[in-house]
Amino acid sequence: MNSTDPVAPVIDANLAVALDALLTEQSVTRAAARMHTSPAAMSRTLGRLRRILQDPLLVRAGQAMVPTPRALALRDEAATVVRRLGALLTPATGVDPATLRSTFTLQTADLVGAALAGGLLTLAGQEAPGVSLRFRAEELEGGPALRDGRVDLEVGAIDHVDPETRVEQLVTLRMAAAVRAGHPLAEGPLTPARFAAAEHVAVSRRGRFDGPVDTALAEHGLSRRVAVVLPGHLAALSLAARTDVVALVPTVPDADSSPSPLTEHAWVLGLRLLDIPLRLPPVAIGMAWHPRHTADGAHHWLRTAVRRVLSGKPRASAA
């Protein structure tokens, strides 16, 4: 910086608060009590204000102190500044969803997006009619997309995030076999051998034929035939509804759990869900977001809405 450039003045917000107290109370002692300080300290502050403003501000009139014309001119403005400072430095309160005018971008797999879209649309219609939703496929790496602001929330199997990314697990599900009504596997006990002998459809954005199911089958000395690989679960479920291929779909861990919206499309297509007789890892569905959104009221509403939808209780009160 050039030495001839003017130096910006140092702004002390405490002086504005002290000026407001002095002009309101017109007493050093009462202003000190209001500011939770000593009369001596407040007297020094008054002296500093007099030097800065080049005005005595308060002068003795008998046993009282009275404001100067400059002080009277500053009194309302000082009070306004202090109110604005208070509003500026007060933690944000909860947002009223009805006042939101926001577009949220969510990144999900197709099955998760399809499960969320209906429930979120319902909640937005009831609580936040000014909210719009944009769903993006898993085409972006979750961490950078969240960091760069291209995605507000990622929902699904969260396994590739930046170190600062906030992650919350929502539900833990298990994989079931989805077959059409009348499929041979639906008759009689389903054994690992019968499961392996059927034709399967795999879901992989990268075109992979194998996955955790193949690892579990290998423990039994078995392998399956994957007849087709599709990039999305919805296409796989649609194919299973029209052919004899077996698709996989996440479902609740036990009969006592609330229904998962992730199985709704399987039911709509008339598919039967069969327990897979293998030890498969659980499916953890979570959500991830960048920490800059953690305290944002609008984003808080979105995260709460996602929790409610995936819990199977979209009309339940948010915690």
Side-chain angles (χ1 to χ4, degrees), residues 22-62:
L22 286 163
L23 298 185
T24 300
E25 300 294 342
Q26 297 183 26
S27 163
V28 169
T29 301
R30 290 195 298 272
R34 178 170 169 173
M35 295 284 294
H36 305 288
T37 189
S38 68
M42 183 56 68
S43 182
R44 289 193 295 271
T45 300
L46 175 58
R48 186 179 174 191
L49 286 166
R50 284 168 168 167
R51 289 191 298 273
I52 292 172
L53 297 173
Q54 298 181 13
D55 188 273
L57 298 175
L58 295 174
V59 295
R60 181 70 57 186

Side-chain angles (χ1 to χ4, degrees), residues 188-311:
L190 182 58
T191 63
R194 291 186 67 211
F195 178 76
E199 285 195 325
H200 293 254
V201 53
V203 176
S204 171
R205 290 186 296 115
R206 298 179 178 87
R208 296 183 57 178
F209 279 78
D210 58 345
V213 167
D214 302 280
T215 302
L217 283 172
E219 295 177 357
H220 294 265
L222 299 169
S223 62
R224 62 175 179 160
R225 179 177 182 270
V226 175
V228 59
V229 178
L230 294 173
H233 289 86
L234 294 179
L237 293 176
S238 178
L239 183 64
R242 294 180 284 109
T243 68
D244 278 344
V245 298
V246 179
L248 301 182
V249 64
T251 188
V252 292
D254 53 63
D256 295 330
S257 302
S258 299
S260 171
L262 294 178
T263 59
E264 284 184 5
H265 284 79
W267 297 122
V268 168
L269 290 168
L271 293 168
R272 291 193 57 184
L273 301 187
L274 309 177
D275 290 334
I276 300 174
L278 299 169
R279 290 189 302 173
L280 297 175
V283 179
I285 303 295
M287 61 180 171
W289 67 94
H290 193 272
R292 67 176 174 272
H293 293 307
T294 297
D296 179 65
H299 202 276
H300 181 269
W301 177 86
L302 174 65
R303 298 194 304 270
T304 301
V306 168
R307 290 189 199 102
R308 293 160 66 184
V309 171
L310 288 185
S311 72

Side-chain angles (χ1 to χ4, degrees), residues 22-243:
L22 286 163
L23 298 185
T24 300
E25 300 294 342
Q26 297 183 26
S27 163
V28 169
T29 301
R30 290 195 298 272
R34 178 170 169 173
M35 295 284 294
H36 305 288
T37 189
S38 68
M42 183 56 68
S43 182
R44 289 193 295 271
T45 300
L46 175 58
R48 186 179 174 191
L49 286 166
R50 284 168 168 167
R51 289 191 298 273
I52 292 172
L53 297 173
Q54 298 181 13
D55 188 273
L57 298 175
L58 295 174
V59 295
R60 181 70 57 186
Q63 297 299 314
M65 298 189 79
V66 295
T68 66
R70 178 77 191 280
L72 290 174
L74 290 173
R75 185 163 55 191
D76 290 345
E77 186 176 351
T80 298
V81 167
V82 171
R83 284 197 301 271
R84 289 177 177 173
L85 280 172
L88 177 66
L89 299 176
T90 299
T93 56
V95 68
D96 179 2
T99 66
L100 291 179
R101 298 295 181 270
S102 303
T103 296
F104 294 116
T105 300
L106 296 87
Q107 178 168 285
T108 69
D110 64 338
L111 187 62
V112 177
L116 279 175
L120 290 180
L121 190 62
T122 297
L123 285 177
Q126 295 170 348
E127 302 173 7
V131 162
S132 299
L133 303 167
R134 177 193 296 118
F135 285 86
R136 299 192 67 159
E138 295 176 302
E139 63 206 30
L140 304 171
E141 293 184 7
L146 293 169
R147 175 186 287 173
D148 297 344
R150 290 172 289 167
V151 169
D152 296 306
L153 193 67
E154 181 177 2
V155 185
I158 309 297
D159 58 3
H160 51 266
V161 295
D162 289 319
E164 75 271 18
T165 301
R166 302 292 178 87
V167 179
E168 177 184 332
Q169 182 171 316
L170 298 171
V171 292
T172 300
L173 305 172
R174 63 182 175 88
M175 297 305 290
V179 298
R180 65 169 178 82
H183 193 285
L185 285 188
E187 303 298 327
L190 182 58
T191 63
R194 291 186 67 211
F195 178 76
E199 285 195 325
H200 293 254
V201 53
V203 176
S204 171
R205 290 186 296 115
R206 298 179 178 87
R208 296 183 57 178
F209 279 78
D210 58 345
V213 167
D214 302 280
T215 302
L217 283 172
E219 295 177 357
H220 294 265
L222 299 169
S223 62
R224 62 175 179 160
R225 179 177 182 270
V226 175
V228 59
V229 178
L230 294 173
H233 289 86
L234 294 179
L237 293 176
S238 178
L239 183 64
R242 294 180 284 109
T243 68

